[in-house]
Amino acid sequence: MADQVHFELVSPERLLFSANVSEIVIPGTEGDFAVLPGHSNLISTIRPGVIHVMEGTQITDRIFVEGGFAEVNDKGCTVLAERAQKVDEIDRRLAEQALSDAREDVEDAKNDLDRNAAQNAVAIAEARLHALEGSVY
Amino acid sequence: MPSLKDLKVRINSTKNTQKITSAMKMVSAAKLRRAQEQAEAARPYAERMEKVLGALAASMAGKDNAPALLGGTGRNQVHLVVVMTSDRGLCGAFNSSITRQARKTARDLRAAGKTVKILTVGRKAKDQMKREFAEQIVASFEEIARPRITFETAEKIAIQIRNMFAAGEFDVCTVVYNKFKSAIAQIVTVQQLIPFANAVANENNAGPAALYEYEPSEEAILTDLLPRNISMQVYRALLENSASEHGARMTAMDNATRNAGDMINKLTINYNRTRQANITKELIEIISGAEAV
């Protein structure tokens, strides 16, 4: 259909989401962008954040991704993400735990490699908690 | 000439073995199906990744500022060979065919004057490689397939490889594993992981590349994508390997069950002959005894 765009969310382990929707808002590295039908071809990396799937003006799904990349072409929009979970399924306690663990790792890191990895983990954990705070859309 | 009792014991023990092998075959068949499903599920991701990466790599291939994971370090001296096998035996020639190929690769490299480092995945790889290359093994992973192979485990291995590469510990990385073709045929595959060798090959099958906007730059995306691709390739190799392992074990156990059946038949014939011979002997004794009276 002309007013719908095919959206797929793929993880290495399985196809997580596949449906025709009217709009998707994706947290790109350089800022959020919305994909509507007829969007120009685009490849973008994704920062840790929430993908909003919209039906009309209604948000139907909020999916947290830890990063990945998105490809938009005339056939639809595909997001490749290593790890994704629905925002409703995030466990606040686990998320807070992950954040404090990651912060400790940053403190304990002995070399740049470890520190970078730990800082990434902090960013992911912060974004996950932020996702729980509610939607801006 | 074995006694009747000996034969009976042997027949029974062979029957027990047959029960075990046929149960193992059944288990492997179920596991093979699951492994195949998992490999199937990983395909969409891998295909899309490959397509995007192929297009990107083709456009970056000629440039000097290509990331090291794509273009290599410019040297070709230290080779890391990743050997992937299973943790368990009883699967025919599965493990030995992988390690044979790995040893050959390592020997060839050494003969060419290169430094070889080995990373093993799976207990069998470590056991079989350490006989000849004990000093070259730099890291090993075991028990990764339990309860099942996840992307996390693949990522752990990939991170180790990437960190070693970032630290300049090797220049070229190849993976040796079994590609799954069917339950009876597995192909030992040697695949180059770093630098990303498929770049040029993919250029052809990418077709007329659609024009994309890149956000951020092509180069930044590529830098982000290549490490992910390594994880993905490792994950894929692990899945292929696990499907191959279960396929190989299924075939091996099928053969074993059939052999046990043949053996039981032979032993049973032997048993019956001996039994009849005994009866005949006893009859002769009775008759000749009666005649003597």
Side-chain angles (χ1 to χ4, degrees):
Chain A
M1 271 183 283
D3 56 346
Q4 295 226 301
V5 51
H6 187 67
F7 171 59
E8 276 186 358
L9 177 62
V10 198
S11 87
E13 284 170 9
R14 64 204 160 98
L15 186 65
L16 293 167
F17 193 98
S18 175
N20 286 321
V21 297
S22 58
E23 183 181 348
I24 314 129
V25 183
I26 294 170
T29 318
E30 313 237 292
D32 290 7
F33 59 91
V35 179
L36 288 152
H39 195 287
S40 65
N41 292 345
L42 168 79
I43 291 176
S44 170
T45 46
I46 297 178
R47 66 169 201 274
V50 180
I51 296 178
H52 293 78
V53 182
M54 321 262 270
E55 202 56 69
T57 53
Q58 213 63 38
I59 295 171
T60 53
D61 277 291
R62 300 176 65 224
I63 305 163
F64 175 77
V65 289
E66 291 190 4
F69 71 100
E71 181 193 359
V72 185
N73 58 25
D74 49 357
K75 290 188 199 73
C77 171
T78 311
V79 173
L80 304 193
E82 273 96 61
R83 271 176 284 275
Q85 78 188 127
K86 294 219 163 139
V87 171
D88 310 337
E89 288 163 10
I90 295 177
D91 184 329
R92 179 178 285 274
R93 218 168 42 78
L94 284 180
E96 277 165 0
Q97 180 69 39
L99 179 58
S100 62
D101 285 354
R103 284 203 172 124
E104 270 174 37
D105 286 348
V106 174
E107 303 276 314
D108 297 344
K110 288 181 193 66
N111 54 38
D112 285 353
L113 269 177
D114 287 354
R115 196 166 304 116
N116 280 343
Q119 267 158 359
N120 276 341
V122 169
I124 289 170
E126 274 173 352
R128 190 186 290 122
L129 274 178
H130 191 69
L132 282 172
E133 305 302 328
S135 172
V136 285
Y137 300 106
Chain B
M1 189 76 180
S3 75
L4 270 185
K5 190 164 176 250
D6 289 345
L7 281 171
K8 193 78 205 164
V9 168
R10 275 196 73 187
I11 290 172
N12 281 338
S13 91
T14 316
K15 271 187 186 157
N16 285 338
T17 310
Q18 190 187 31
K19 272 180 210 154
I20 294 171
T21 55
S22 79
M24 278 181 81
K25 184 195 152 193
M26 239 90 93
V27 171
S28 292
K31 282 190 177 163
L32 170 64
R33 214 184 40 237
R34 207 156 0 120
Q36 267 177 305
E37 274 166 17
Q38 223 184 334
E40 198 72 35
R43 201 155 294 156
Y45 190 94
E47 272 169 10
R48 296 211 166 82
M49 172 84 92
E50 226 157 66
K51 222 178 72 193
V52 175
L53 207 54
L56 274 170
S59 70
M60 291 293 290
K63 296 178 191 163
D64 300 334
N65 55 354
L69 285 174
L70 177 70
T73 53
R75 285 188 308 273
N76 185 21
Q77 184 52 38
V78 187
H79 283 247
L80 180 75
V81 182
V82 181
V83 189
M84 289 185 182
T85 63
S86 67
D87 282 321
R88 281 143 193 285
L90 287 185
C91 42
F94 173 78
N95 286 318
S96 47
S97 59
I98 297 173
T99 46
R100 195 184 312 125
Q101 177 64 48
R103 277 200 299 268
K104 187 179 167 292
T105 310
R107 268 189 222 123
D108 288 351
L109 285 171
R110 209 154 54 171
K114 315 276 187 212
T115 316
V116 181
K117 289 182 180 177
I118 292 169
L119 188 148
T120 62
V121 179
R123 196 185 314 141
K124 293 283 161 189
K126 194 182 168 194
D127 290 350
Q128 296 184 10
M129 293 305 285
K130 80 174 169 211
R131 268 177 239 152
E132 195 178 333
F133 297 99
E135 282 135 46
Q136 276 81 8
I137 297 178
V138 286
S140 44
F141 293 86
E142 282 176 33
E143 295 284 333
I144 45 128
R146 307 182 81 191
R148 60 192 198 88
I149 293 167
T150 59
F151 189 68
E152 264 90 60
T153 38
E155 206 157 45
K156 233 182 277 169
I157 300 171
I159 285 171
Q160 166 99 26
I161 297 175
R162 286 203 307 258
N163 285 350
M164 282 173 68
F165 185 72
E169 289 177 33
F170 65 88
D171 304 316
V172 180
C173 175
T174 44
V175 188
V176 187
Y177 67 101
N178 256 340
K179 201 169 233 168
F180 181 79
K181 195 176 164 209
S182 71
I184 9 177
Q186 295 90 32
I187 308 156
V188 182
T189 312
V190 181
Q191 189 189 337
Q192 185 169 327
L193 206 60
I194 304 172
F196 184 58
N198 294 350
V200 186
N202 273 4
E203 195 175 6
N204 303 327
N205 58 31
L211 277 173
Y212 282 101
E213 262 174 65
Y214 295 97
E215 192 187 296
S217 66
E218 287 181 40
E219 200 185 340
I221 292 180
L222 200 54
T223 323
D224 187 62
L225 226 53
L226 283 166
R228 283 172 208 275
N229 183 51
I230 289 172
S231 309
M232 192 57 211
Q233 296 295 342
V234 171
Y235 181 59
R236 212 173 169 188
L238 285 177
L239 288 181
E240 290 273 351
N241 224 12
S242 124
S244 302
E245 178 198 341
H246 295 308
R249 180 167 297 125
M250 202 176 99
T251 322
M253 286 303 123
D254 189 40
N255 281 336
T257 309
R258 216 171 302 136
N259 285 344
D262 289 349
M263 200 156 157
I264 289 170
N265 283 343
K266 268 187 213 150
L267 286 172
T268 312
I269 288 171
N270 209 338
Y271 175 79
N272 287 340
R273 285 217 180 109
T274 319
R275 192 172 54 91
Q276 280 174 338
N278 276 352
I279 294 169
T280 317
K281 207 173 78 194
E282 276 168 27
L283 274 177
I284 291 170
E285 277 165 12
I286 292 168
I287 293 166
S288 51
E291 270 172 2
V293 174

